[in-house]
Amino acid sequence: MRSLAVVLVLMGCAAPEPNGGKAVMDSTATHSATTDSTNTDNASVGANGEVGNTETRAVTPITVAANPDAPVDSSVQVVTVLEGLEHPWGMAWLPDGTMLITERPGRVRRVRDGVLDPEPLAGVAPVLAERQGGLLDIALHPQFEDNRWVYLAYAHGTAAANRLRVARARLEDQGFVDWTVIFETNRDKPQGQHFGSRLLWLPDGTLLVAVGDGGNPPLRLDGELIRHQAQNRQSHLGSIVRLKDDGTIPSDNPFVGEADTDPAIWSYGHRNIQALALDAATGQIWSTEHGSRGGDELNRLKAGANYGWPLVTYSEEYSGGPISDAVSRPGLVDPILYWTPAIAPSGLAVYRGDRYPQWQGQLFAGGLVAQALLRLELDDQGQLVNEARIPIGQRVRDVRQGPDGLLYVLTDAPNGRLIRLDPNP
């Protein structure tokens, strides 16, 4: 493999931290193949992470260095719907088209017909708005019209000892009632770094929750760098957990019954996932996660898998030098793509609509440092065949497909924006 030069870039988390790293390799560059034998032609991941194959011939997935500065896609117009959001983080649509948007300081704002209500919704519990912490993602229960449940992820505790929580509450006209914590990570961590916090409903009615690894050196837990919690299957840090809608553990989670593993864990070996997306057409589950200094990743997720952090990585230490001596090892799942220099990924959508027919099935990854959407076209084997960049001009925190079939973007700023991508005539 070609030698990699160090490049410094600012990392895009809620409170900026350094992120950058190795020089970008040619977009066709590869590394050693994953030994995950379930990766096959036309494989799709179901709701519980099981892989269904339409062909039996195995393929060898390869990791590609994506281009943070890909060519500009000018087929859409970037339209500002509204401004005045303070560090918005997540968004969801009610059945009547009203939007709910979280603001990291601890507010949920309502947008009706493109107009931001001046008053936030009442009933939100106090949050730890510390660095990258605060009120983070939001998701509606799949049967929201019947039960009115809204789910919110947020940081709780103090700067010295904090955890990620997920609560659900019923939405009424003026705000939330019956606020109930259904999940809390099982380890306290210091400082306000790496909460993860994306929420994703699966077709079987279970909920995935992304949990960050806890933070960067020199932060320590149990006598070692806190990032090693991502390989500790008794710790929620650095994992994705899967829950029933009331917070209880599904009996078919991959590690249920194993004495050395917390039963909530669905996958592990993650650094800081701030994007989860389900492709409704294929059942595949995708994520992007922050690297340290470069090495941001796009992963295709499945139950029970170990994604390697920090044992294998394309990242380098913020202080310089390697984190690991390997980018791939047997038994660890390789990323589909990585970005160096970093884009600081946050927000991810798989487009399945009719407003941009040329983008059917493509992925849209938000970039905080990139201040853009990265459009990614993959083939049936998950290999990159086309990529482009849609400049936004501010740090992109979230991207979602709206009920009208258009893509919407939130920008992370003190005066954050809600943006819509309109097709050019």
Side-chain angles (χ1 to χ4, degrees):
M1 181 180 291
R2 282 176 268 177
S3 61
L4 302 176
V6 174
V7 179
L8 289 178
V9 122
L10 288 178
M11 178 177 183
C13 295
E17 64 182 56
N19 198 350
K22 309 165 196 171
V24 179
M25 298 173 64
D26 183 86
S27 63
T28 59
T30 66
H31 72 85
S32 58
T34 179
T35 58
D36 176 12
S37 61
T38 60
N39 283 302
T40 56
D41 275 349
N42 300 319
S44 64
V45 182
N48 64 355
E50 295 301 317
V51 176
N53 302 320
T54 58
E55 296 183 27
T56 57
R57 180 177 63 84
V59 299
T60 303
I62 55 176
T63 297
V64 172
N67 182 4
D69 196 30
V72 171
D73 188 321
S74 58
S75 63
V76 290
Q77 302 176 53
V78 175
V79 177
T80 297
V81 178
L82 59 86
E83 298 179 309
L85 297 164
E86 185 176 0
H87 293 291
W89 217 94
M91 55 182 153
W93 282 266
L94 303 181
D96 66 0
T98 298
M99 290 184 69
L100 301 181
I101 297 175
T102 57
E103 293 178 312
R104 195 162 49 82
R107 296 180 292 269
V108 177
R109 307 297 299 276
R110 187 160 43 191
V111 178
R112 292 186 269 207
D113 298 323
V115 178
L116 180 67
D117 281 5
E119 295 298 324
L121 291 169
V124 175
V127 306
L128 174 66
E130 172 79 14
R131 298 184 65 181
Q132 298 161 17
L135 184 59
L136 304 170
D137 209 9
I138 184 170
L140 305 186
H141 191 284
Q143 281 80 51
F144 173 82
E145 288 188 276
D146 298 325
N147 59 34
R148 306 291 293 180
W149 286 121
V150 177
Y151 290 69
L152 298 112
Y154 61 102
H156 172 79
T158 67
N162 53 74
R163 302 186 183 203
L164 174 68
R165 280 184 168 181
V166 177
R168 72 176 184 181
R170 295 187 193 277
L171 179 63
E172 296 187 345
D173 287 344
Q174 300 306 314
F176 298 104
V177 298
D178 300 331
W179 187 281
T180 304
V181 176
I182 66 164
F183 171 77
E184 182 178 74
T185 49
N186 60 1
R187 300 301 306 272
D188 281 333
K189 67 178 190 64
Q191 298 191 18
Q193 300 179 24
H194 297 191
F195 290 95
S197 306
R198 285 297 174 195
L199 305 174
L200 179 68
W201 288 102
L202 300 184
D204 64 357
T206 60
L207 178 67
L208 297 185
V209 182
V211 183
D213 69 347
N216 300 312
L219 293 185
R220 304 180 75 84
L221 189 64
D222 297 337
E224 63 180 356
L225 293 176
I226 196 170
R227 66 188 179 198
H228 290 285
Q229 292 293 304
Q231 292 297 322
N232 177 3
R233 296 198 327 208
Q234 294 179 328
S235 171
H236 293 150
L237 297 178
S239 73
I240 296 175
V241 301
R242 176 172 172 254
L243 310 169
K244 293 183 180 180
D245 65 354
D246 61 357
T248 57
I249 308 301
S251 61
D252 61 346
N253 268 7
F255 301 111
V256 167
E258 296 192 17
D260 64 343
T261 308
D262 186 283
I265 291 176
W266 187 82
S267 66
Y268 64 106
H270 302 290
R271 183 173 180 268
N272 193 25
I273 291 175
Q274 293 187 346
L276 289 172
L278 172 73
D279 186 342
T282 66
Q284 291 176 340
I285 305 165
W286 296 93
S287 74
T288 55
E289 66 180 87
H290 291 259
S292 173
R293 189 175 175 183
D296 298 339
E297 294 181 358
L298 170 72
N299 284 296
R300 185 164 50 189
L301 301 177
K302 72 185 201 70
N306 182 352
Y307 288 82
W309 174 257
L311 303 178
V312 295
T313 178
Y314 285 92
S315 299
E316 293 189 351
E317 300 283 11
Y318 289 125
S319 57
I323 292 172
S324 170
D325 61 359
V327 295
S328 181
R329 290 185 189 176
L332 306 180
V333 180
D334 294 339
I336 301 296
L337 306 174
Y338 74 95
W339 287 274
T340 296
I343 65 166
S346 187
L348 182 69
V350 182
Y351 187 71
R352 294 291 180 185
D354 59 5
R355 301 299 298 274
Y356 327 99
Q358 74 277 18
W359 290 349
Q360 191 68 211
Q362 296 185 30
L363 279 68
F364 292 81
L368 291 154
V369 162
Q371 298 192 11
L373 286 184
L374 282 299
R375 180 175 63 78
L376 307 168
E377 182 179 0
L378 308 178
D379 64 18
D380 290 340
Q381 286 72 48
Q383 299 306 308
L384 183 66
V385 297
N386 188 25
E387 57 185 324
R389 176 171 51 91
I390 302 171
I392 300 298
Q394 284 188 330
R395 292 157 47 89
V396 173
R397 174 58 73 190
D398 199 13
V399 54
R400 307 283 176 111
Q401 180 178 327
D404 57 4
L406 297 172
L407 289 173
Y408 288 80
V409 172
L410 289 177
T411 67
D412 177 35
N415 181 23
R417 294 186 289 164
L418 172 65
I419 286 170
R420 186 182 67 240
L421 300 185
D422 286 355
N424 275 324

